[in-house]
Amino acid sequence: MGRKVTLATCSLNQWALDFDGNLTRILKSIEVAKSRGAKYRLGPELEICGYGCADHFYESDTLLHSFEVLRKLLESPITQDIICDVGMPIMHHNVRYICRVLFLNRRILLIRPKMVMANCGLHREMRWFSPWNQLRLVEEYFLPRMIQEVTGQDTVPFGDCVLSTKDTCIGSEICQELWSPRSPHIQMSLDGVEIFTNSSASHHELRKADQRVNLIKSATAKCGGIYLYSNQRGCDGDRVYYDGCAMVAINGDVVVQGAQFSLNDVEVITATLDLEDVRSYRGERCHPHMENEPKPCHRVKVDFSLSTGDDIYLPTHQPITWNYHTPEEEIRYRLTPGHFYLICEPLPGIGGGFLLPLSGGVDSSSTACIVHSMCVQICQAVQDNNSQVLEDVRRVTGDASYYPQDPRELCGRLFTTCYMSSENSSVDTCTRAKELAHQIGSTHMNINIDMAVKGILGIFSVVTGKWPQFRVNGGSPRENLALQNVQARVRMVLAYLFAQLSLWARGKPGGLLVLGSANVDESLTGYFTKYDCSSADINPIGGISKTDLKSFLLYCVEQFQLTALKGVLSAPPTAELEPLTDGQVSQTDEADMGMTYSELSVIGRLRKMSKCGPFSMFCKLIHMWRDALSPAEVAQKVKHFFRMYSVNRHKMTTVTPAYHAESYSPDDNRFDLRPFLYNTRWTWQFSLNHLNTGMENASDFYGKLL
């Protein structure tokens, strides 16, 4: 009857400028799609060159090599007899565009440029590209000579157009266009387009997955139609993780769900659906003829069918319930593949695994659990016959016959932890670190840093004739802080020394990547020493709040039976940089910061997500915290936070790269663009006419309520 179509979409682990690898993965996805009977294959945004090329998009080489890859795709027998929809940058009339290129049997059908750019949060697409903002306009694009030689075409349609096959009509959306209040699928559906495609490079944030699922379900519920979603997977060489979630939906229901997190470089999902379901759905709910459309879609016709004439007995996919991960599972599964990519694509001279200064606290224990989780997933992938993962593990470990089966044993090969004790360290933290290392299986070391600290202070004493003292011993605040900082910085130096030479000392090749462990709340207030052991090659938890990390550790206690974490969770957070009192810790993080981690999490969200300065933040917090704090106490918290934030903002210029995970991250690389030098007195914002006046009014108001 010719009414059922089989369509394919995918998630690919593409890397910026890895043209060889990107080509291989694209061809593999097309091959899998064809093997499952698909007649149309959709791939992620900018999949040919990689989404994260950044200022490399300015280079003509990036455009050239993208066309060279396109030629390879056109010439490949794998791409025959299937409509291939690939993403790449293209320059038209000296303007760069993010484009979809649709081709079939060595001929390009059309080029569709992106119309709505992602230009907020992490994204800066308008730095390199322009939107195609000419609705329904289609122009001729003159193909490069290398493409003309393959296709025999001089020009192809370029612009806001759709593809009309013999049995249906297909329209493209590109990433951000789905999130726009004027999404193209609305106009296209009213003009009879039945299949919508979306190629994305959508990054992961905790608790975000439901947003894109709801958008796609809503799009097809109100308009009817089939919606294919493709997304990149992996980190693409940057500070974000693209989390897959390829899917297919029809008439408001998801029928196929791809994995959100995976070690697979190529994941293809297919769905067989009945076009008549779209037509009958629209026949009852949608009335296009009643809408005033300014101009119909420009249709590019192709002599090709997605359906066959004999499909009566071909089964179709039915609606499913989307399986969402909890935030704790997202932390576990999201960071695992990211770390594996790091040791598989190592820095020069590095590739043997990771080294972590393990203090016995929540933050470093969270990082350790993430690496342990990576080992669990690697062993599972190998058991599932993932040959690429097995090949990578053997290359990293330097053992061509190695077959990982036990996560603890693999952890011992890939992961080195070290507890760096000083005279200010407690027996409790040392014990917790040792027990956790034993339970996860890491190679663990105890390193005493007192000799190095005293050596550095000795040099200072020889030069100045003075020996600084801690505050409890009569020292000034400057002395007290300096003595804490020298301990922290010695740990960073020793971490890199052991990372470079630990494997050498064991007679093994390579080196180790240093992992850091400062959470997003500490970065926000600058509660860490610049160039201390939070300085590392990568910080797995730098985008995650302390509150979420504690929940993650509770999850690990149950999931991995890591009972050592119970002691970690019950202990007060402490840097252990000041002298002990009767062998017990006297310094705590929350006392040093002047606020709790839960308070910091609220303040961080107000600062970034709600766009609050001091006054606006005060106005919100007096209501949010009215049961716990008076307006005067709220005012002091707000003032204290902004002083700490502005004094320490300069630390964000050197903070270790971290995966983006929270929408209130203070990362100033591309997400939170603010000055790093402030007038830290905030004289206008803290003046009587602002914060104090608001405090008095709030006191009067709540006094009347009480």
Side-chain angles (χ1 to χ4, degrees):
M1 292 181 64
R3 52 190 279 175
K4 296 176 183 177
V5 294
T6 300
L7 310 166
T9 182
C10 62
S11 296
L12 304 181
N13 178 26
Q14 304 297 75
W15 283 77
L17 303 179
D18 180 19
F19 293 99
D20 281 319
N22 293 348
L23 171 61
T24 299
R25 288 180 284 271
I26 292 170
L27 286 172
K28 178 65 175 177
S29 69
I30 297 171
E31 183 179 27
V32 173
K34 286 180 65 177
S35 71
R36 297 179 183 174
K39 294 290 187 177
Y40 177 94
R41 175 268 183 199
L42 174 71
E45 185 175 12
L46 292 171
E47 59 188 307
I48 285 180
C49 60
Y51 181 79
C53 295
D55 280 2
H56 289 292
F57 284 124
Y58 288 135
E59 301 167 2
S60 61
D61 284 10
T62 303
L63 300 173
L64 169 66
H65 298 327
S66 295
F67 271 111
E68 290 171 343
V69 171
L70 179 61
R71 174 170 177 149
K72 292 287 187 182
L73 290 170
L74 288 163
E75 292 175 331
S76 173
I78 294 174
T79 63
Q80 301 305 296
D81 300 321
I82 182 172
I83 296 176
C84 298
D85 186 339
V86 299
M88 61 181 284
I90 291 178
M91 181 174 282
H92 178 56
H93 294 170
N94 294 332
V95 179
R96 281 181 300 275
Y97 297 97
I98 296 173
C99 293
R100 303 304 300 172
V101 179
L102 279 67
F103 63 89
L104 171 68
N105 295 337
R106 298 170 66 98
R107 290 184 65 83
I108 294 176
L109 304 175
L110 62 87
I111 299 175
R112 201 304 203 149
K114 191 171 185 177
M115 303 176 69
V116 180
M117 313 305 291
N119 211 53
C120 60
L122 287 166
H123 299 286
R124 298 286 181 273
E125 289 180 357
M126 290 189 70
R127 178 178 174 91
W128 310 292
F129 300 102
S130 295
W132 182 264
N133 52 18
Q134 302 176 81
L135 188 67
R136 302 289 190 264
L137 179 65
V138 177
E139 299 177 348
E140 285 188 319
Y141 177 77
F142 284 83
L143 294 169
R145 187 175 292 115
M146 73 173 84
I147 303 299
Q148 293 179 20
E149 293 170 354
V150 177
T151 66
Q153 301 166 284
D154 294 327
T155 64
V156 294
F158 184 103
D160 180 16
C161 50
V162 298
L163 183 66
S164 184
T165 65
K166 296 172 71 174
D167 49 2
T168 188
C169 190
I170 306 168
S172 299
E173 286 190 326
I174 305 177
C175 197
Q176 185 69 19
E177 294 173 2
L178 171 64
W179 302 73
S180 167
R182 298 185 66 180
S183 296
H185 70 258
I186 298 173
Q187 307 280 349
M188 290 189 292
S189 68
L190 294 173
D191 196 29
V193 175
E194 296 177 326
I195 300 173
F196 311 108
T197 67
N198 187 300
S199 57
S200 282
S202 179
H203 66 274
H204 172 264
E205 278 184 4
L206 292 174
R207 307 171 181 89
K208 175 187 174 183
D210 65 310
Q211 297 179 36
R212 62 169 78 105
V213 175
N214 291 338
L215 282 169
I216 290 171
K217 290 173 66 175
S218 173
T220 58
K222 66 186 177 184
C223 298
I226 298 169
Y227 205 108
L228 275 71
Y229 177 82
S230 173
N231 193 22
Q232 179 150 306
R233 171 177 292 143
C235 58
D236 196 14
D238 212 332
R239 305 179 190 220
V240 294
Y241 179 78
Y242 301 98
D243 59 338
C245 287
M247 71 185 91
V248 182
I250 179 171
N251 298 342
D253 294 312
V254 175
V255 294
V256 186
Q257 171 188 356
Q260 186 174 12
F261 310 103
S262 173
L263 293 176
N264 295 322
D265 286 345
V266 177
E267 181 193 32
V268 178
I269 62 171
T270 57
T272 300
L273 298 167
D274 193 335
L275 293 172
E276 289 301 315
D277 288 339
V278 175
R279 293 159 188 165
S280 60
Y281 183 93
R282 287 181 173 175
E284 178 183 1
R285 303 182 183 222
C286 305
H287 303 280
H289 63 278
M290 297 180 66
E291 302 290 337
N292 292 320
E293 281 297 288
K295 190 177 180 182
C297 297
H298 180 97
R299 280 170 161 75
V300 176
K301 298 178 182 178
V302 57
D303 186 18
F304 186 78
S305 296
L306 300 185
S307 60
T308 61
D310 184 17
D311 59 10
I312 295 177
Y313 298 106
L314 186 65
T316 58
H317 284 72
Q318 300 303 308
I320 62 172
T321 299
W322 189 276
N323 178 32
Y324 291 105
H325 290 294
T326 65
E328 295 77 25
E329 290 173 332
E330 287 188 279
I331 293 172
R332 172 191 174 184
Y333 291 118
R334 166 190 176 273
L335 293 170
T336 290
H339 282 74
F340 189 54
Y341 300 148
L342 280 173
I343 55 176
C344 293
E345 302 287 342
L347 299 173
I350 299 176
F354 302 108
L355 180 138
L356 170 70
L358 183 59
S359 69
V362 168
D363 294 339
S364 61
S365 296
S366 297
T367 299
C369 289
I370 287 166
V371 178
H372 175 68
S373 173
M374 178 193 77
C375 295
V376 172
Q377 283 190 256
I378 290 173
C379 290
Q380 185 60 55
V382 171
Q383 290 178 24
D384 295 339
N385 299 315
N386 190 318
S387 58
Q388 183 62 57
V389 171
L390 180 59
E391 178 185 334
D392 289 336
V393 170
R394 288 174 171 174
R395 175 163 50 85
V396 171
T397 59
D399 186 346
S401 62
Y402 179 54
Y403 193 91
Q405 294 177 298
D406 179 11
R408 291 187 73 255
E409 187 273 336
L410 176 60
C411 199
R413 288 177 179 247
L414 296 180
F415 193 30
T416 298
T417 54
C418 56
Y419 180 80
M420 298 186 180
S421 65
S422 74
E423 59 187 14
N424 302 318
S425 302
S426 68
V427 175
D428 291 342
T429 53
C430 180
T431 302
R432 292 197 297 267
K434 183 178 179 181
E435 288 179 352
L436 179 59
H438 173 73
Q439 290 181 8
I440 66 175
S442 66
T443 299
H444 189 65
M445 299 179 289
N446 281 313
I447 304 170
N448 190 285
I449 68 171
D450 286 336
M451 184 184 301
V453 172
K454 290 176 181 177
I456 291 172
L457 293 176
I459 294 172
F460 178 82
S461 180
V462 168
V463 174
T464 65
K466 293 182 178 294
W467 193 282
Q469 299 293 327
F470 282 104
R471 179 167 42 205
V472 296
N473 297 326
S476 66
R478 281 191 295 174
E479 295 172 74
N480 194 68
L481 183 59
L483 289 173
Q484 294 182 68
N485 287 345
V486 73
Q487 295 172 76
R489 288 173 177 142
V490 162
R491 287 182 171 126
M492 185 270 288
V493 174
L494 287 174
Y496 274 97
L497 175 64
F498 278 87
Q500 287 183 296
L501 296 180
S502 287
L503 296 184
W504 168 78
R506 298 177 216 161
K508 297 180 179 180
L512 303 172
L513 284 168
V514 179
L515 298 180
S517 53
N519 62 66
V520 70
D521 300 318
E522 291 171 347
S523 297
L524 184 62
T525 58
Y527 184 67
F528 62 92
T529 300
K530 204 173 186 179
Y531 306 117
D532 68 349
C533 62
S534 66
S535 296
D537 294 312
I538 193 74
N539 180 6
I541 64 169
I544 306 174
S545 71
K546 192 82 160 189
T547 303
D548 281 335
L549 290 176
K550 288 182 177 180
S551 298
F552 171 64
L553 291 187
L554 283 171
Y555 167 84
C556 291
V557 171
E558 300 298 326
Q559 190 71 22
F560 303 126
Q561 290 74 53
L562 300 177
T563 56
L565 295 175
K566 294 180 180 179
V568 173
L569 286 163
S570 63
T574 175
E576 288 195 335
L577 295 172
E578 295 190 36
L580 304 174
T581 302
D582 298 326
Q584 298 298 313
V585 172
S586 59
Q587 177 189 29
T588 63
D589 292 352
E590 292 183 339
D592 282 352
M593 291 189 298
M595 58 186 67
T596 66
Y597 280 106
S598 59
E599 289 172 343
L600 264 180
S601 185
V602 172
I603 286 174
R605 285 178 167 83
L606 290 176
R607 181 197 71 96
K608 177 64 178 176
M609 298 169 62
S610 299
K611 316 296 188 294
C612 288
F615 181 67
S616 296
M617 186 178 293
F618 168 77
C619 292
K620 291 181 181 295
L621 287 177
I622 56 173
H623 301 289
M624 296 171 67
W625 290 349
R626 57 169 298 192
D627 294 332
L629 299 173
S630 69
E633 291 171 325
V634 171
Q636 289 307 312
K637 292 272 187 185
V638 171
K639 290 179 180 180
H640 179 64
F641 166 75
F642 274 98
R643 286 194 187 100
M644 287 202 333
Y645 161 77
S646 57
V647 166
N648 291 312
R649 179 66 184 183
H650 65 94
K651 294 180 180 179
M652 292 308 301
T653 63
T654 61
V655 74
T656 298
Y659 292 124
H660 177 83
E662 274 288 2
S663 51
Y664 71 93
S665 168
D667 169 37
D668 80 334
N669 172 259
R670 60 189 281 185
F671 182 68
D672 189 40
L673 305 182
R674 301 176 191 243
F676 70 90
L677 295 175
Y678 283 86
N679 180 341
T680 59
R681 295 184 297 276
W682 299 85
T683 51
W684 186 275
Q685 293 88 338
F686 292 176
S687 68
L688 288 174
N689 292 329
H690 291 79
L691 203 57
N692 291 346
T693 300
M695 181 180 69
E696 293 168 1
N697 293 338
S699 296
D700 292 341
F701 175 73
Y702 285 123
K704 293 175 182 177
L705 289 180
L706 295 173

